[in-house]
Amino acid sequence: MSKPTVAILGASAERSKYGNKSVRAHLQNGYDVYPVNPKGGQIEGLKVYTSLQDIPVEQLDRISVYVPPQVGMKMVSDIASKHAKQVFFNPGSESVELLEAARQRGIDPIQACSIVDVGFTPAMMD
């Protein structure tokens, strides 16, 4: 059986940032993790994709958003195009406008912390 897949939008190489904690929490929970950051490079030993469209997976199981709402607004069409089963808008990444834009594109947004959803707390990832 294949592993579940997740794209972390706003992934960070800084271990204190939630975009990094999420990468590690999902890895520890058995996900194939695709970090997304326009800077590229590597995070936690994984290739970083500069855009969601570069990820070589047609449909993701989950997308976890850690970018500010104004950045998320620029990415919402790309998020919708991946047809993820779940799209988490983590605390601080959501806004009324962004959630409405997501719904208009057929996304059922989840307003919750994806780190907690996989069984960790952000403090556990310090």
Side-chain angles (χ1 to χ4, degrees):
M1 184 172 194
S2 63
K3 293 180 176 185
T5 56
V6 61
I8 309 292
L9 304 186
S12 174
E14 290 183 47
R15 291 176 69 86
S16 63
K17 296 212 173 202
Y18 288 98
N20 181 283
K21 292 178 182 196
S22 185
V23 168
R24 290 184 282 130
H26 282 88
L27 280 171
Q28 289 182 35
N29 209 29
Y31 278 78
D32 274 337
V33 178
Y34 298 93
V36 179
N37 187 306
K39 295 176 186 171
Q42 284 202 334
I43 294 175
E44 300 298 320
L46 301 172
K47 173 186 171 150
V48 176
Y49 295 86
T50 56
S51 80
L52 196 52
Q53 296 305 321
D54 293 340
I55 295 173
V57 174
E58 201 167 302
Q59 182 185 20
L60 294 159
D61 292 300
R62 172 180 286 191
I63 295 172
S64 188
V65 181
Y66 286 95
V67 297
Q70 63 271 25
V71 176
M73 285 296 289
K74 295 174 185 171
M75 302 176 84
V76 72
S77 291
D78 286 348
I79 293 169
S81 74
K82 280 295 187 184
H83 305 288
K85 295 173 188 165
Q86 299 176 318
V87 179
F88 276 78
F89 289 91
N90 293 278
S93 71
E94 78 279 33
S95 69
V96 172
E97 296 82 12
L98 177 55
L99 296 174
E100 183 55 32
R103 288 185 191 99
Q104 288 175 358
R105 288 166 176 80
I107 298 167
D108 184 14
I110 300 168
Q111 287 181 262
C113 178
S114 65
I115 297 168
V116 172
D117 187 68
V118 294
F120 296 94
T121 66
M124 293 168 74
M125 305 312 297
D126 284 339

